[in-house]
Amino acid sequence: MNSKANEASRQSRVTLHGVAAAAGVSKSTVSRILDERLPRSESETAKRVRQIAEDLGYVRDLSAASLRRGSTMTIGVIVPRLTDTVMAMLYESLAKACSRAGRFAIVATTDDKPKADRLAAETLLKRGVDGLILSTAREDDNFPEELTNRGVPFVLALRTDGRSLSSVGDDKLGGYLATRHLLDLGHRRIGVIAGPSYASSSRGRVEGYKQALNEAGVTIDPAYIVPSTFGIDSGSEAAETLMRVEPRPTAIFAVNDNTAIGGLSGLARLGLSVPDDVSLVGYNDIPIVSHLATPLTTLRVPFDQIASNALDLLGRDIPNEDRIRVSAPTLIPRRSSGAVRRQ
């Protein structure tokens, strides 16, 4: 390190001025070379500036940069819980999308409770986040409308209220594909573990289920539609409920993988085999389901695409007809679904 660098290194906090003085270049040159959002230069000057900055222990002052830009480059993400693998996968995808855009994601969990959603949002906004991405939209809550009236930038992800900026999967298509798959295997008595009615994702998947049955000329039996939470225990209880219906279903579509895993457990307790006695289809393709003793047929949701779309929508003025971006799921057939056994 040269004498100028030694002098700068004695400062209590190394600044752009210090790096510039040590490197013998302008402050603006240093700022441009060290800005990670810009294409990385491999010129000799850039390499020398980066090396001097490292030797001096320079750390970028994010708060000062934020003041200059009028933003913190930080996004607040609100999810029901991170113990739900779906929500953890969404958050990881959002964090990656933020990183690519030079942003940082902060997450808060609320156990899917409207009061906790509001508290989490206030906390994140007080910390200066530039906007919110929420996966907690509910049919019975007007929180998105409240945020709109306050002028808070936000986007809904995975669930939508049908009006706000949203990035979601095509849940109706997914429910249709799951049910069509079972119909193609010869099943006509198809039950559905329907999830909670307050979530647009659940409602959309059930709508797709009904559409597929209607197209196939299969009468929809309300007894075959059992509500649940998104939890494993609830899925187990719902599967047992379905198996008490007469005549019992030969196949079950669970609107998420957690409830499908619960369904596997409930069916096993009843001494029923999957898929020999009952076929089963889940939704989301969380990592564990391909490694189960009976790998689960499911719908793969493009979380990375949903996250990228959500970040792209945030803070933008979008025409009404383009406010909801929809990403298509993909059917992943595995061993949990098989041809109907003639009874």
Side-chain angles (χ1 to χ4, degrees), residues 81-88 109 258:
R81 57 193 67 83
L82 288 175
T83 51
D84 182 334
T85 306
V86 170
M87 294 302 168
T109 61
N258 278 344

Side-chain angles (χ1 to χ4, degrees), residues 188-201:
R188 292 297 179 269
R189 301 199 306 271
I190 303 172
V192 59
I193 300 176
S197 61
Y198 61 72
S200 65
S201 51

Side-chain angles (χ1 to χ4, degrees), residues 151-222:
V152 174
F154 74 94
V155 173
L156 305 180
L158 292 185
R159 303 182 198 169
T160 180
D161 61 0
R163 302 178 300 278
S164 304
L165 292 172
S166 306
S167 177
V168 297
D170 192 334
D171 295 302
K172 186 173 181 179
L173 173 63
Y176 177 89
L177 292 174
T179 310
R180 183 71 257 174
H181 170 68
L182 293 169
L183 289 165
D184 290 344
L185 290 171
H187 296 277
R188 292 297 179 269
R189 301 199 306 271
I190 303 172
V192 59
I193 300 176
S197 61
Y198 61 72
S200 65
S201 51
S202 296
R203 297 194 307 274
R205 293 164 197 177
V206 173
E207 288 174 13
Y209 159 86
K210 291 179 178 179
Q211 179 185 345
L213 292 181
N214 282 329
E215 287 185 3
V218 176
T219 301
I220 296 171
D221 186 343

Side-chain angles (χ1 to χ4, degrees), residues 150 170 234 331:
R150 291 173 55 188
D170 192 334
S234 184
L331 178 72

Side-chain angles (χ1 to χ4, degrees), residues 9-267:
S9 68
R10 289 194 293 269
Q11 299 177 20
S12 59
R13 179 181 178 88
V14 180
T15 65
L16 286 174
H17 286 291
V19 177
V25 296
S26 68
K27 177 187 170 185
S28 62
T29 297
V30 173
S31 178
R32 186 171 60 254
I33 290 170
L34 299 182
D35 191 336
E36 295 175 354
R37 298 169 300 160
L38 299 177
R40 183 182 174 90
S41 171
E42 294 300 334
S43 70
E44 291 304 315
T45 298
K47 291 178 182 178
R48 182 165 56 84
V49 167
R50 285 195 292 268
Q51 185 60 57
I52 290 173
E54 182 180 343
D55 292 342
L56 294 175
Y58 170 75
V59 177
R60 188 168 175 233
D61 187 344
L62 292 176
S63 60
S66 297
L67 286 172
R68 290 192 297 272
R69 289 192 303 265
S71 72
T72 62
M73 301 301 287
T74 304
I75 305 302
V77 179
I78 299 177
V79 301
R81 57 193 67 83
L82 288 175
T83 51
D84 182 334
T85 306
V86 170
M87 294 302 168
M89 291 172 71
L90 173 66
Y91 174 63
E92 287 185 358
S93 292
L94 286 168
K96 287 189 292 185
C98 282
S99 179
R100 290 193 297 269
R103 293 177 166 184
F104 186 74
I106 300 175
V107 67
T109 61
T110 64
D111 203 29
D112 230 348
K113 295 178 179 177
K115 185 176 180 180
D117 288 348
R118 288 166 170 80
L119 179 59
E122 290 303 320
T123 301
L124 290 167
L125 291 170
K126 286 177 181 177
R127 291 179 177 271
V129 298
D130 296 331
L132 301 171
I133 296 178
L134 303 92
S135 65
T136 54
R138 298 171 61 104
E139 174 74 10
D140 55 1
D141 187 50
N142 63 351
F143 186 40
E145 184 178 349
E146 294 173 16
L147 292 173
T148 297
N149 292 338
R150 291 173 55 188
V152 174
F154 74 94
V155 173
L156 305 180
L158 292 185
R159 303 182 198 169
T160 180
D161 61 0
R163 302 178 300 278
S164 304
L165 292 172
S166 306
S167 177
V168 297
D170 192 334
D171 295 302
K172 186 173 181 179
L173 173 63
Y176 177 89
L177 292 174
T179 310
R180 183 71 257 174
H181 170 68
L182 293 169
L183 289 165
D184 290 344
L185 290 171
H187 296 277
R188 292 297 179 269
R189 301 199 306 271
I190 303 172
V192 59
I193 300 176
S197 61
Y198 61 72
S200 65
S201 51
S202 296
R203 297 194 307 274
R205 293 164 197 177
V206 173
E207 288 174 13
Y209 159 86
K210 291 179 178 179
Q211 179 185 345
L213 292 181
N214 282 329
E215 287 185 3
V218 176
T219 301
I220 296 171
D221 186 343
Y224 284 170
I225 303 174
V226 178
S228 68
T229 69
F230 285 127
I232 293 175
D233 290 342
S234 184
S236 177
E237 293 168 5
E240 293 185 31
T241 297
L242 282 168
M243 291 300 103
R244 289 194 289 269
V245 178
E246 289 294 341
R248 76 184 187 193
T250 62
I252 296 174
F253 165 44
V255 299
N256 84 340
D257 286 342
N258 278 344
T259 51
I261 291 170
L264 281 170
S265 175
L267 294 170

